[in-house]
Amino acid sequence: MVNNKHIATFILGALAGLAAGKYTSMSDEEKEQMMNNLKAKANKLKEDASNSADQAKDYFSELATKGMDSLKEHFPGAEKWMHDLFGSKSADTSDTAADAGKTEASPS
């Protein structure tokens, strides 16, 4: 049975064959010009992606700061609540172990 994956593979193969035929029929100058154009487009795409990643990092950093400020404004105990909820587990477990040691060591 033929499905979409088979059709797509056939179409991509046909296009690759046409592109290879076109490339072999080009002159050396046209091949060099095409390669230079592809390199320029790839470098532009890489530069745009890098700039977008930097902008996204700045955006999320700003969003986190503004979000926490807004949360503090509308929920004054938010910072303590977040620390209690997401605080470091190592500090919590050491406190728990210390508390457990105290109860075991003190006979009642």
Side-chain angles (χ1 to χ4, degrees), residues 91-101:
D92 293 343
T93 56
S94 64
D95 290 343
T96 306
D99 290 341

Side-chain angles (χ1 to χ4, degrees), residues 31-47:
K31 288 178 184 178
E32 187 176 336
Q33 182 181 8
M34 183 184 79
M35 292 306 289
N36 288 336
N37 287 340
L38 286 174
K39 286 179 186 178
K41 287 178 183 179
N43 286 331
K44 173 129 176 53
L45 182 64
K46 179 182 171 185
E47 183 180 322

Side-chain angles (χ1 to χ4, degrees), residues 30-107:
E30 289 174 325
K31 288 178 184 178
E32 187 176 336
Q33 182 181 8
M34 183 184 79
M35 292 306 289
N36 288 336
N37 287 340
L38 286 174
K39 286 179 186 178
K41 287 178 183 179
N43 286 331
K44 173 129 176 53
L45 182 64
K46 179 182 171 185
E47 183 180 322
D48 289 346
S50 177
N51 290 339
S52 296
D54 291 340
Q55 287 176 349
K57 186 171 66 172
D58 293 342
Y59 171 76
F60 284 115
S61 175
E62 181 181 341
L63 185 63
T65 303
K66 286 183 179 180
M68 186 52 96
D69 291 343
S70 177
L71 189 60
K72 285 179 185 177
E73 179 183 333
H74 295 294
F75 182 42
E79 192 168 8
K80 181 184 179 315
W81 183 74
M82 292 293 257
H83 180 69
D84 291 346
L85 187 62
F86 298 111
S88 64
K89 296 294 181 190
S90 61
D92 293 343
T93 56
S94 64
D95 290 343
T96 306
D99 290 341
K102 287 178 186 176
T103 57
E104 291 174 10
S106 60

